[in-house]
Amino acid sequence: MENPPETDRPRRSTTIFSRSSLHQLLAVLRIHIITASYGVTVGWPAPIIPLLRSPETPLPAGPITVEQASWIGATLCIGGTIGTILFALVHTYFGKKVGLLLLPVPHLILWTLILIGDNVWYIYWARFFSGLTGGGVVSVVPLYIADIADKKIRGTLGSLTIIFINIGLVFMYSTGNYLAYRTIPKIMLVAPVAFIVLVSFLPETPACLLRKGKLLEAERSLMYYRNISDERHKTPEFLVEFDELKTFVLSESSKARLRWADFTTPEAKRGLFIGIFVMALNQFSGIFAILTYAGTIFQKSGTGIDPHAALIIVAVLNICGNLTSFTVIDRVGRKILLLVSAAGVGLSLGVLGAHSYLLTAGYDLAGLEWLPVLALSMTLFLGAIGITNVPFFIVPEVMPPKLRSIGSTISATLLCMFAFVCVKLYPIMMETIHIYGTVWISSGVCAVAVVIIIFWIPETKGKNLNVQSESSK
């Protein structure tokens, strides 16, 4: 047989995304409307808490205390813990799409409370409802992406989650000091409505439909997410993928009842350890607390740069780190990014702590006013490469198939609990052991994490999630 002409041969795509991944990308972009909105709530305290603690506070009762400020940060984490469990139950019993469509409900409530509230208790409840959405984001979104994404771009699509959270963060850092206190909720009430309209048109994930016994709908869903318009355009690769998925889900469903023995296999123990470890690193590295209290940190760090401008600088560099991770994660891999991120964050926080210590000790640091901004910028840039985004999609990749859902829920719930501890204690610690003591603790956590990553964290790039491992059979 003669070889086909060069123009008739299928060409291998040299880009990250191909035509077959178009609907996957567009679907993920739609769901990240709510992710970006959640990012606004994550960044909200940074410019607003200094305002609430100042004489210009919009609250009639006057400036809030350090204790009240810590509760404003921490109540989000309480809501996140409850939201993680609540949304895990929703997506387990009703499907990923229902879970996604419920995410905007607490978001609508929180911005309404900010809009009408005239005392700090309204803010506490608003932050609690923000946490419900955040818990849903970390519970539903990674599993939705794992369900619909081709393994070649799963890491890239997973990286978009933290990118969009930080797009919301940049918006808040950029505008929070210039927009009126009650203007921001008026703007943000539009986003949940747009999300509901756009996500309503997405099909349920193929795996969820197969679990409900809807084989034809599951095949059509996979065709949609692989951008296959009709039966005539099914490729051999598509048929193999659907057959693997069907076999995997049916096998999973046939032994769906969890037993204690499922948690005691070597694969399960390692998966749960890694899941808990990466979520602990995500929080105890201090990244989330720093993002929450960035405005206060800049006020106390002795920088000569306008704190408002400094907030924008670090937020933009945070996004740059996300984009770096987005472009290289499916080429470089998860482990190396996590390792570079932990080492870089530990070093940057060490430098920030050293500057704070010398300043507190009375040394003349004239000419080094830029150093805290650089150290914080590098902390957030390097954190965004790995620590803040890799955990959200490495967890489904390291868990045994049977424990993937419950393992992700356990990890995400612990993430919110860890976040509560960090966000509640950070402002109090900055008052008692100063900035240097606080960030040196986080730097030490990163140093320990580097050792654990080197010796215990596997590489999961390109792992097929629809094939049972030998130890889980």
Side-chain angles (χ1 to χ4, degrees):
M1 176 184 275
E2 293 183 357
N3 289 331
E6 185 67 29
T7 54
D8 293 337
R9 293 177 186 171
R11 296 184 179 181
R12 187 181 300 272
S13 173
T14 58
T15 59
I16 296 175
F17 294 106
S18 62
R19 182 179 177 277
S20 64
S21 62
L22 177 62
H23 284 177
Q24 298 169 51
L25 176 61
L26 293 177
V28 172
L29 291 177
R30 289 189 209 183
I31 67 171
H32 283 325
I33 294 172
I34 201 67
T35 309
S37 300
Y38 173 64
V40 174
T41 70
V42 171
W44 187 83
I48 299 300
I49 283 180
L51 172 66
L52 296 176
R53 294 195 63 193
S54 74
E56 291 77 31
T57 177
L59 301 181
I64 63 172
T65 65
V66 172
E67 179 70 15
Q68 288 172 324
S70 71
W71 277 112
I72 288 174
T75 44
L76 178 142
C77 306
I78 297 173
T81 304
I82 296 172
T84 300
I85 298 170
L86 177 64
F87 278 93
L89 293 172
V90 170
H91 79 66
T92 298
Y93 291 103
F94 301 102
K96 306 291 192 305
K97 183 176 178 179
V98 173
L100 289 173
L101 288 174
L102 288 176
L103 286 175
V105 175
H107 224 62
L108 286 166
I109 296 172
L110 87 90
W111 288 118
T112 302
L113 289 171
I114 294 292
L115 183 63
I116 67 174
D118 61 357
N119 63 64
V120 74
W121 283 96
Y122 280 88
I123 299 176
Y124 291 159
W125 279 108
R127 298 289 290 167
F128 173 82
F129 282 105
S130 173
L132 288 183
T133 293
V137 167
V138 300
S139 178
V140 181
V141 170
L143 292 176
Y144 172 81
I145 293 173
D147 270 9
I148 71 163
D150 187 291
K151 63 183 179 181
K152 297 174 185 175
I153 60 169
R154 189 172 60 237
T156 303
L157 290 178
S159 296
L160 283 172
T161 302
I162 198 68
I163 287 177
F164 275 87
I165 288 176
N166 282 298
I167 287 173
L169 196 79
V170 168
F171 170 80
M172 191 63 222
Y173 279 11
S174 303
T175 63
N177 290 301
Y178 306 105
L179 293 177
Y181 177 76
R182 301 191 196 281
T183 299
I184 295 170
K186 292 176 183 177
I187 295 172
M188 294 309 303
L189 283 169
V190 177
V193 177
F195 174 88
I196 292 171
V197 172
L198 291 173
V199 173
S200 296
F201 293 99
L202 291 175
E204 178 60 276
T205 69
C208 286
L209 291 168
L210 282 171
R211 291 186 186 98
K212 295 176 182 178
K214 300 178 179 180
L215 269 64
L216 183 59
E217 289 183 39
E219 186 177 22
R220 287 175 178 167
S221 173
L222 189 61
M223 287 173 64
Y224 172 83
Y225 287 117
R226 297 299 177 267
N227 200 16
I228 296 174
S229 56
D230 55 48
E231 300 282 334
R232 296 172 299 166
H233 293 89
K234 290 181 183 176
T235 62
E237 291 80 7
F238 171 84
L239 295 174
V240 169
E241 181 181 11
F242 184 66
D243 188 56
E244 283 182 351
L245 178 62
K246 185 166 56 175
T247 301
F248 166 73
V249 171
L250 293 176
S251 172
E252 182 189 49
S253 300
S254 67
K255 51 179 183 178
R257 187 178 180 84
L258 287 174
R259 299 168 298 170
W260 178 248
D262 295 322
F263 293 88
T264 59
T265 65
E267 186 185 18
K269 290 178 180 178
R270 186 174 74 160
L272 288 168
F273 167 76
I274 292 171
I276 294 169
F277 162 73
V278 294
M279 294 305 183
L281 175 60
N282 180 281
Q283 289 303 316
F284 293 120
S285 63
I287 301 292
F288 186 71
I290 289 170
L291 288 171
T292 302
Y293 302 116
T296 303
I297 292 173
F298 278 125
Q299 286 181 342
K300 292 176 176 292
S301 65
T303 178
I305 299 175
D306 177 12
H308 299 168
L311 277 179
I312 298 172
I313 291 170
V314 299
V316 170
L317 285 173
N318 196 26
I319 284 262
C320 291
N322 299 148
L323 293 172
T324 300
S325 177
F326 172 77
T327 55
V328 304
I329 191 164
D330 279 318
R331 296 187 179 94
V332 174
R334 283 67 159 143
K335 181 170 181 171
I336 187 66
L337 288 181
L338 205 57
L339 180 61
V340 170
S341 181
V345 168
L347 181 61
S348 299
L349 289 176
V351 171
L352 177 64
H355 180 278
S356 172
Y357 175 78
L358 293 173
L359 189 68
T360 305
Y363 286 86
D364 182 9
L365 300 180
L368 292 176
E369 294 87 354
W370 50 268
L371 190 57
V373 177
L374 177 63
L376 269 180
S377 298
M378 293 307 298
T379 296
L380 296 179
F381 175 82
L382 292 167
I385 287 176
I387 287 176
T388 61
N389 69 330
V390 169
F392 293 108
F393 54 91
I394 198 176
V395 170
E397 295 175 336
V398 298
M399 292 292 176
K402 193 173 181 181
L403 299 183
R404 190 164 295 145
S405 181
I406 185 66
S408 295
T409 301
I410 291 171
S411 300
T413 303
L414 288 173
L415 170 74
C416 296
M417 292 180 177
F418 298 151
F420 173 81
V421 173
C422 288
V423 174
K424 184 70 177 71
L425 293 181
Y426 239 70
I428 298 172
M429 290 169 64
M430 286 191 292
E431 292 287 330
T432 55
I433 60 174
H434 305 289
I435 289 179
Y436 61 83
T438 306
V439 299
W440 276 345
I441 291 173
S442 292
S443 180
V445 169
C446 291
V448 173
V450 167
V451 177
I452 294 175
I453 293 167
I454 291 173
F455 292 104
W456 283 288
I457 303 299
E459 180 55 68
T460 58
K461 179 180 68 173
K463 181 178 180 181
N464 190 343
L465 300 186
N466 296 328
V467 176
Q468 295 274 11
S469 64
E470 290 300 318
S471 59
S472 62
K473 290 181 180 179

